């Protein structure tokens, strides 16, 4: 099975998710600066989620670049990832609406955790389809960044109950770790 | 006529349908767990519809993979399918908003029924265009799963008047039946 | 300049327009049949506009199939068409919300008129780019259906001031005329 | 890395941004002409932003046409551009809602400024990836139109504090300057 349509469909879904989040920024009826102030936490959570979705699109792009073809398991692993990504606008809006309160922070981390797990499953499905000696298997290796992210999300969720700002900082930290594009694949492909 | 643009347009429409459903999950103004509780039925109906749309995208992908080209009838059969799929966000939201009440359950089943019929018509239009000896005709065969689904939807709609939960379970059952990807085509293509 | 990206962008915009219209069908808070009744005019106007957008996508698809390449004028003629199509959700919702009242019917016709004109300009831009002897010029010919549609829209807008239902019927009539896919191009391409 | 998926993803995001802006045109509950009047400033700001997004898509299309491939920096420079474009629906709606008042005009200019800068960074990233002797470097040259736009935006933002209408006219002026498609690239490619 060709990978083209899986890429196109994922592009479409991620493009919509990354864009409809901006609909949560309700347009104020007043025209002064003070009217924008209550939108600041929403804008910050929007920016963070935009970066996360950009990272996912970027890594998805690198990952599929290394894939030669897909099968039924890969299609469903991919849909499973898109499901968790589709919940990001909701938790983003909830977190922004409530000024980074404890429970919304925990749910934000929970959705990131599940999306991270879903990405990991997608990687495994692709490797198992291409074989252990394939370019994609060598390029990904043990996917340490992915596993490390899940550890940090777990810590962030636990620490949110102690101090909300620690969780928020950890989510920003993971985004920074991933902002460096996935050079593992790029390096292996050009060898 | 090439099939590429039909695939791209369908990908776009299904990607939007699967994504805007999440806009029905209204963001609570409170930040406690209790604020999420009323969203639970909406979340469940969202998840069910996400799976259904994933199944349709998946089967559509398999089906078009086996097609060599399309004609005017196929274009319209496809748009007819997309029309019924486009109503899924409405019935999903209505069913979730009203906690899986009788009439919304009946309409949810009605839209699934029409979408199932529209898919069947699309399959026929493709087979009639490619001829009875074509790969696609052999791969699809009598499309028993599709016909069986229509029977189960009919039963679910009738039983919703007796006991709502039976209809809900039958909708989940059809989703499970289809979750197994359409191996008929995959098998025939690799023979 | 290749035509691929113009097709992809148009597919994306039309896919979104055809889908977000369904967001105007507000989900009722009640679960009985009576709650759906006020949505009936909205549903009818949604269905009509879905068919119109399906027709535009279909004809756009046929048209670009006959084109070999595009230039700057074609890109802008295409964006101009998309602008008028993007107003269809607004006039559709307004017409449905007000039960096919006079002024919304007039504006619905006005947007259809402008979209029809924009399509005509796009056809001219493509023909002028490819030359009078090209496949696309021969396939389109004098585009009588397009010109006839503009006449009927004009009549519908004028008659809306006399009797609303005549305008509504004329809009349905144009949709039926176009539902027959544009065989001119198909015939010429296969000659 | 191939450029195809970057184009497809950007097409998707820009298609959604250009389309969801129309959702800000709230459908009136009355059916007379007077009900449309309060929407006029929103419609004007929608039209202006539609043209701007059309220009960005057009120039993006020309730019990527001249590119042979992309790398990690280009992907992120592109996402950075999409981030600022994604804020256009918000500032468009705010400007229209408040009848082109001072502060919304300033923020509209601010988002255009950042989008212009982001486009400039994307151009630099592409040139640095292809080398100073590449087709793309020669085709773009010093990108005087882009730099001139930033100057005009700066003037518009400053003048908005003196007279709102001057800022509005300057935004329209920049749109007109860019409406002429980027012939630099077209000319160089066909030499």
């Amino acid at each position: 099975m060709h990978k083209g349509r899986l890429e196109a469909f994922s592009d479409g879904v991620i493009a919509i998710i990354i864009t409809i989040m901006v609909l949560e920024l309700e347009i104020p009826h007043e025209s002064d600066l003070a009217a924008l102030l209550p939108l600041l936490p929403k804008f910050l959570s929007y920016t963070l989620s935009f970066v996360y979705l950009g990272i996912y699109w970027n890594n998805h792009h690198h990952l599929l670049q290394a894939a030669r073809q897909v099968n039924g398991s890969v299609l469903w692993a991919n849909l499973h990832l898109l499901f968790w990504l589709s919940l990001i606008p909701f938790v983003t809006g909830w977190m922004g609406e409530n000024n980074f309160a404890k429970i919304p922070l925990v749910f934000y981390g929970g959705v990131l955790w599940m999306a991270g797990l879903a990405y990991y499953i997608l990687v495994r499905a692709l490797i198992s389809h291409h074989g252990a000696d394939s370019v994609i298997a060598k390029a990904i290796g043990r996917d340490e960044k992915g596993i490390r992210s899940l550890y940090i999300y777990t810590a962030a969720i636990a620490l949110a109950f102690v101090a909300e700002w620690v969780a928020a900082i950890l989510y920003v930290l993971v985004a920074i770790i991933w902002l460096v594009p996935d050079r593992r694949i790029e390096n292996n492909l050009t060898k």
Side-chain angles (χ1 to χ4, degrees), chain A:
Chain A
M1 228 188 296
H2 301 300
K3 64 183 181 177
R5 234 186 127 178
L6 181 137
E7 291 182 323
F9 184 70
S10 308
D11 279 357
V13 172
I14 298 174
I16 298 157
I17 295 172
I18 215 171
T19 318
I20 59 170
M21 282 196 301
V22 91
L23 293 175
E24 294 303 333
L25 296 174
E26 281 157 54
I27 289 164
H29 297 296
E30 296 80 36
S31 68
D32 50 354
L33 267 176
L36 284 189
L37 211 66
L39 288 176
L40 192 62
K42 283 197 168 187
F43 178 72
L44 291 178
S45 70
Y46 169 62
T47 307
L48 181 61
S49 294
F50 190 98
V51 172
Y52 264 112
L53 285 162
I55 290 164
Y56 268 105
W57 178 75
N58 229 320
N59 289 333
H60 193 272
H61 179 53
H62 279 82
L63 183 64
L64 267 293
Q65 189 109 335
R68 278 195 327 276
Q69 68 213 29
V70 297
N71 63 359
S73 312
V74 171
L75 291 190
W76 278 106
N78 192 59
L79 276 163
H80 179 237
L81 171 62
L82 294 178
F83 176 75
W84 291 106
L85 295 182
S86 82
L87 294 178
I88 285 184
F90 175 78
V91 287
T92 301
W94 199 34
M95 193 167 73
E97 172 81 19
N98 291 285
N99 219 336
F100 296 88
K102 191 161 52 186
I103 305 292
L105 269 169
V106 167
F107 272 82
Y108 190 80
V111 168
L112 288 182
W113 209 100
M114 291 307 295
L117 178 68
Y119 189 79
Y120 184 82
I121 293 172
L122 175 62
V123 168
R124 291 301 122 191
L126 276 164
I127 289 179
S128 119
H129 182 50
H130 286 79
D133 295 332
S134 59
V135 173
I136 197 167
K138 282 179 190 152
I140 298 290
R142 286 192 50 240
D143 191 22
E144 281 168 23
K145 251 209 263 190
I147 296 165
R148 212 178 302 143
S149 303
L150 292 183
Y151 283 133
I152 304 180
Y153 294 148
T154 312
I157 292 168
L159 289 166
F161 291 98
V162 185
E164 283 93 345
W165 61 270
V166 180
I169 283 178
L170 287 176
Y171 297 150
V172 173
L173 183 74
V174 175
I176 291 169
I177 291 176
W178 278 103
L179 262 177
V180 186
D182 206 324
R183 302 221 183 273
R184 282 173 301 177
I185 293 175
E186 236 172 309
N187 292 346
N188 270 278
L189 283 178
T190 51
K191 256 179 210 168

